[in-house]
């Protein structure tokens, strides 16, 4: 619990990262104030009223364990064992992510997760200020100005942490003092959130313990389960260009025609598709790059405010949660904020860049590759090599999702492994044709064992 002499810190944004960081710092004796633009979700119901869910993996779960929030969060989560792939022709089926139920991901409701974290933050003494939107910062006078119910409200601060998401106002204010080298690569694809309600018996209408994917080459649908027995469906496709794109599919009737032709099994479960399609906006997706994340000891950015990414590896929140643990650790190691912020940035920036790249690569894998014969053979080989070389040949998805090795190391090893897999399966139709001795030798030579402690 913070006391009068506690060091003070001000967080901008009480979303997922802001609420978690507030817990971690308050637990370590910091005096924490969190300013959030929106109203209190515990009073008003979560903005939007829709069930939007996220995949929680080991990195995020580990951070929740540090905060003592994991048990509460998992109680409301739905286990996802793998991808349930729905080809246009042929049988749908489950491709497991890991070896068994110790290697799974969890679908959680964004609003419920935020509420669990906000409650815990408050219980550890963090002060939460809702309806406070940051508008401007005067760094020379250490004053932040918030808009509160239409009125400007100046607040003195010692240091600011930007957990205010992809459109961060703090980032814009920092850039007025020192350019941050900001650029965003917008994806030419967007997304629309839709819903599969419970069936007439009140139960899930599809396999609940899976992340469903309908891969269709240059576009796709996915669906994640919610604990209220619905699925949140997300349609990803290009903004413009040849059919289908958001330019050619504009109305509810257009969407129904697309689903009838391309996702007929999903359409049968979506009675409100037309209305949902017309009511919900098309979301933009992009990758945010910055050269600098901090301004001396006065301000630092983390989570989406520092490195927003496309959602195709389901790691944006997981990475933001890892950031929170890293920043709290660096702040514990030195009382000099500039040193702590610089060390945090040096540790996390290369790793954020690595997962941003892997997230972009994973879009192609999800929408275009998961039902290809060569991909399936490579996946089979990947699992066989994992069994032959435990701790040395670790599948890409496992390194990112079920381990906590630095993302940059996961990327480097994944690239090596991808080359080995592609070369070893070229022109083959079955693992019986593999030259195991040659492949084993290359693996031993190129892939040192991963440190068990890193897992
Ligand atoms: C379609 C989609 C699917 C995704 N799926 C996954 C997934 O499965 N797994 C995963 O790990 N990640 C996923 N992500 C990414 C994840 O949503 C983000 O990485 C995560 O929300 C980042 O958390 P954050 O706290 O940094 O930002 P946010 O969650 O955006 O929170 C920012 C907070 O700051 C507040 N705020 C904004 N401006 C101000 C201001 N001026 N003053 C005060 N407060 C302000 C906002 O109201 C908000 O509460 C997905 C993203 C998208 C778009």
């Amino acid at each position: 619990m913070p006391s009068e002499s506690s060091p003070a810190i001000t967080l901008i944004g009480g979303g997922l990262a802001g609420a978690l960081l507030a817990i971690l710092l308050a637990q370590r004796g910091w005096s924490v104030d969190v300013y959030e633009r929106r109203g209190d979700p515990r009073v008003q119901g979560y903005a939007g009223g829709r069930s939007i869910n996220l995949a929680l993996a080991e990195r995020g779960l580990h951070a929740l364990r540090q905060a003592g929030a994991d048990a509460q969060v998992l109680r409301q989560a739905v286990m996802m064992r793998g991808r349930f792939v729905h080809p246009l022709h042929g049988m749908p089926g489950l491709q497991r992510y890991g070896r068994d139920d110790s290697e799974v991901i969890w679908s959680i409701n964004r609003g419920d997760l935020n509420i669990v974290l906000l409650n815990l933050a408050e219980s550890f003494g963090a002060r939460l200020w809702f309806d406070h939107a940051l508008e401007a910062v005067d760094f020379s006078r250490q004053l932040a100005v918030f808009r509160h119910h239409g009125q400007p409200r100046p607040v003195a601060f010692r240091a600011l942490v930007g957990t205010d998401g992809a459109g961060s106002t703090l980032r814009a204010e920092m850039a007025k003092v020192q350019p941050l080298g900001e650029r965003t690569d917008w994806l030419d694809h967007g997304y629309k959130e839709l819903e599969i309600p419970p069936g007439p018996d009140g139960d899930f209408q599809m396999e609940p313990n899976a992340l469903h994917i309908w891969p269709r080459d240059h576009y796709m649908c996915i669906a994640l389960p919610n604990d209220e027995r619905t699925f949140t469906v997300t349609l990803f496709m290009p903004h413009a260009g040849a059919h289908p794109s958001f330019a050619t599919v504009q109305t509810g009737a257009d969407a129904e025609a697309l689903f009838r032709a391309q996702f007929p099994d999903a359409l049968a479960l979506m009675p409100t598709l037309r209305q949902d399609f017309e009511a919900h906006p098309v979301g933009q997706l992009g990758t945010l790059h910055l050269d600098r994340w901090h301004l001396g000891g006065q301000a630092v950015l983390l989570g989406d405010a520092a490195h927003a990414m496309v959602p195709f590896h389901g790691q944006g929140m997981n990475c933001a949660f890892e950031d929170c643990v890293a920043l709290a650790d660096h702040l514990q190691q030195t009382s000099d904020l500039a040193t702590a912020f610089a060390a945090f940035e040096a540790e996390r920036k290369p790793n954020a860049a690595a997962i941003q790249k892997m997230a972009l690569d994973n879009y192609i894998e999800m929408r275009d590759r998961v039902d290809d014969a060569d991909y399936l053979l490579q996946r089979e080989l990947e699992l066989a090599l994992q069994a032959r070389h435990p701790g040395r040949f670790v599948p890409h998805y496992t390194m990112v999702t079920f381990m906590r090795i630095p993302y940059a190391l996961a990327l480097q090893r994944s690239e090596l492994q991808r080359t080995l897999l592609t070369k070893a399966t070229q022109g083959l139709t079955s693992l019986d044709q593999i030259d195991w001795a040659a492949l084993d030798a290359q693996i031993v030579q190129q892939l040192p064992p991963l440190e068990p402690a890193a897992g």
Side-chain angles (χ1 to χ4, degrees):
M1 276 288 184
S3 67
E4 296 247 310
S5 59
S6 299
I9 199 147
T10 301
L11 312 190
I12 309 299
L16 299 179
L20 179 66
L21 184 63
I23 302 172
L24 295 171
L25 292 179
Q27 281 174 337
R28 294 169 198 214
W30 286 76
S31 170
V32 182
D33 287 278
V34 182
Y35 289 88
E36 165 57 44
R37 179 176 59 187
R38 287 180 291 190
D40 187 340
R42 299 166 299 180
V43 176
Q44 307 190 333
Y46 208 68
R50 290 186 273 143
S51 274
I52 305 294
N53 46 29
L54 299 148
L56 174 69
E58 177 55 25
R59 294 168 196 271
L61 202 45
H62 177 77
L64 293 176
R65 281 186 209 112
Q66 308 297 299
D70 52 315
Q72 259 193 82
V73 171
L74 286 183
R75 264 201 295 280
Q76 303 179 47
V78 183
M79 180 197 279
M80 298 188 291
R81 296 192 167 98
R83 299 166 168 160
F84 202 99
V85 179
H86 300 248
L88 184 54
H89 306 290
M91 286 295 286
L94 181 74
Q95 297 176 7
R96 256 195 185 274
Y97 285 132
R99 284 172 292 197
D100 52 41
D101 280 359
S102 68
E103 293 184 333
V104 296
I105 55 176
W106 301 90
S107 177
I108 41 154
N109 179 287
R110 182 187 284 272
D112 292 345
L113 173 61
N114 205 179
I115 287 173
V116 167
L117 297 179
L118 289 170
N119 279 333
L120 259 181
E122 215 166 39
S123 75
F124 283 109
R127 287 171 296 274
L128 309 179
W129 306 90
F130 293 99
D131 295 303
H132 278 76
L134 180 73
E135 280 198 334
V137 182
D138 183 338
F139 285 100
S140 59
R141 293 168 59 214
Q142 310 256 108
L143 267 188
V145 180
F146 296 90
R147 176 124 327 237
H148 178 56
H149 297 314
Q151 299 298 318
R153 186 164 169 224
V155 172
F157 67 87
R158 173 174 172 241
L160 301 176
V161 182
T163 46
D164 51 346
S168 172
T169 302
L170 178 58
R171 188 174 72 230
E173 292 300 294
M174 288 162 67
K176 290 179 186 166
V177 179
Q178 186 188 26
L180 303 178
E182 173 175 342
R183 65 205 181 278
T184 299
D185 292 330
W186 292 106
L187 196 68
D188 47 5
H189 291 222
Y191 69 96
K192 175 91 82 168
E193 277 151 347
L194 306 163
E195 197 195 56
I196 293 179
D201 58 354
D203 209 350
F204 286 110
Q205 296 205 65
M206 300 187 293
E207 164 59 47
N209 295 119
L211 187 156
H212 293 260
I213 308 185
W214 291 258
R216 296 295 182 265
D217 298 347
H218 77 287
Y219 61 102
M220 68 173 181
C221 252
I222 65 169
L224 274 72
N226 296 302
D227 68 345
E228 78 246 21
R229 291 171 159 54
T230 62
F231 287 88
T232 304
V233 178
T234 312
L235 169 66
F236 294 94
M237 64 182 180
H239 287 294
H243 184 71
S245 68
F246 285 111
T248 67
V249 182
Q250 292 194 348
T251 64
D254 295 342
E256 199 174 292
L258 172 67
F259 272 70
R260 185 167 302 113
Q262 297 296 333
F263 311 112
D265 56 338
L267 177 65
L269 313 176
M270 299 172 75
T272 58
L273 169 65
R274 277 178 177 239
Q275 298 89 305
D276 291 348
F277 192 88
E278 292 193 354
H280 303 166
V282 177
Q284 309 281 331
L285 299 168
T287 306
L288 166 73
H289 307 277
L290 296 179
D291 293 338
R292 269 171 297 284
W293 289 5
H294 77 110
L295 198 63
Q298 287 199 301
V300 67
L301 302 169
L302 62 74
D304 276 16
H307 51 67
M309 66 190 73
V310 296
F312 304 111
H313 228 307
Q315 285 289 318
M317 167 193 64
N318 287 282
C319 179
F321 282 2
E322 258 193 346
D323 287 352
C324 294
V325 175
L327 182 61
D329 286 348
H330 285 292
L331 285 170
Q332 205 164 12
Q333 280 161 29
T334 167
S335 58
D336 181 54
L337 293 180
T339 305
F341 292 171
F344 163 75
E345 179 185 314
E347 179 193 333
R348 294 300 296 164
K349 206 151 89 55
N351 289 306
I355 186 58
Q356 285 179 315
K357 178 179 184 317
M358 292 188 279
L360 278 165
D361 292 347
N362 215 44
Y363 187 28
I364 311 218
E365 175 159 328
M366 287 173 83
R367 71 179 203 223
D368 195 20
R369 301 269 296 128
V370 288
D371 54 352
D372 286 357
D374 63 334
Y375 172 86
L376 293 172
L377 187 63
Q378 284 174 24
R379 174 72 183 145
E380 209 184 321
L381 178 58
E382 196 175 42
L383 294 174
L385 291 175
Q386 181 183 26
R388 287 171 88 87
H389 301 277
R392 196 188 279 274
F393 194 104
V394 183
H396 161 79
Y397 194 84
T398 301
M399 287 190 286
V400 172
T401 312
F402 305 130
M403 298 178 78
R404 292 186 293 106
I405 59 168
Y407 285 121
L409 178 60
L411 172 62
Q412 184 226 329
R413 292 183 71 109
S414 291
E415 285 177 342
L416 263 174
Q417 292 179 179
R418 172 70 43 223
T419 308
L420 288 172
L421 290 171
T422 312
K423 279 195 184 149
T425 52
Q426 219 152 34
L428 308 189
T429 51
S430 143
L431 293 194
D432 299 340
Q433 302 154 293
I434 296 280
D435 179 350
W436 292 105
L439 190 51
D440 287 343
Q442 287 180 58
I443 288 168
V444 170
Q445 193 198 7
Q446 295 181 29
L447 295 169
L450 280 170
E451 292 288 322

